[in-house]
Amino acid sequence: MSESPSAKSIAIIAYITFIGTLIAYFMNREPKHTFATKHIQNMFGLLLVLFCAQVAYRYMNPIIGDTLWIAAFIAWAFSLVTAIIGKNPSIPFLSNKFEEWFQFLK
């Protein structure tokens, strides 16, 4: 009998690139885990920040792009550690906004 992956495993998978986020989203379809959903929403938001960093680097100012990229990387590393230790994502201000904005990922 196969057992479904735990919410913690799904949350960790979400932080493994864009593909990992997609895999985690589909793994979390049935049964839904609130913990994993929060981490999926968080990583989706971080991916959007990385996209904005690339756009800013190319079309605005490389310093702004680099700053956004470094901030997103630090937030990603912090969020991955919180998933590994089993805590909800807690990037100040952003995690709550990502949960609010990305309700469609539930």
Side-chain angles (χ1 to χ4, degrees), residues 5-84:
S6 71
K8 186 176 177 180
S9 298
I10 294 171
I12 293 169
I13 290 169
Y15 290 105
I16 303 172
T17 72
F18 176 70
I19 302 299
T21 306
L22 287 174
I23 292 169
Y25 173 75
F26 287 110
M27 287 175 68
N28 196 42
R29 300 286 298 217
E30 192 63 39
K32 290 191 184 261
H33 303 284
T34 306
F35 177 76
T37 300
K38 288 181 179 185
H39 280 281
I40 292 167
Q41 290 170 330
N42 196 56
M43 183 56 183
F44 186 76
L46 290 174
L47 287 169
L48 291 178
V49 171
L50 282 173
F51 178 75
C52 290
Q54 287 299 111
V55 170
Y57 185 88
R58 176 80 170 122
Y59 298 107
M60 293 171 63
N61 185 340
I63 294 172
I64 295 171
D66 285 343
T67 304
L68 277 174
W69 191 91
I70 290 167
F73 178 79
I74 291 168
W76 170 82
F78 179 75
S79 297
L80 177 61
V81 170
T82 60
I84 290 170

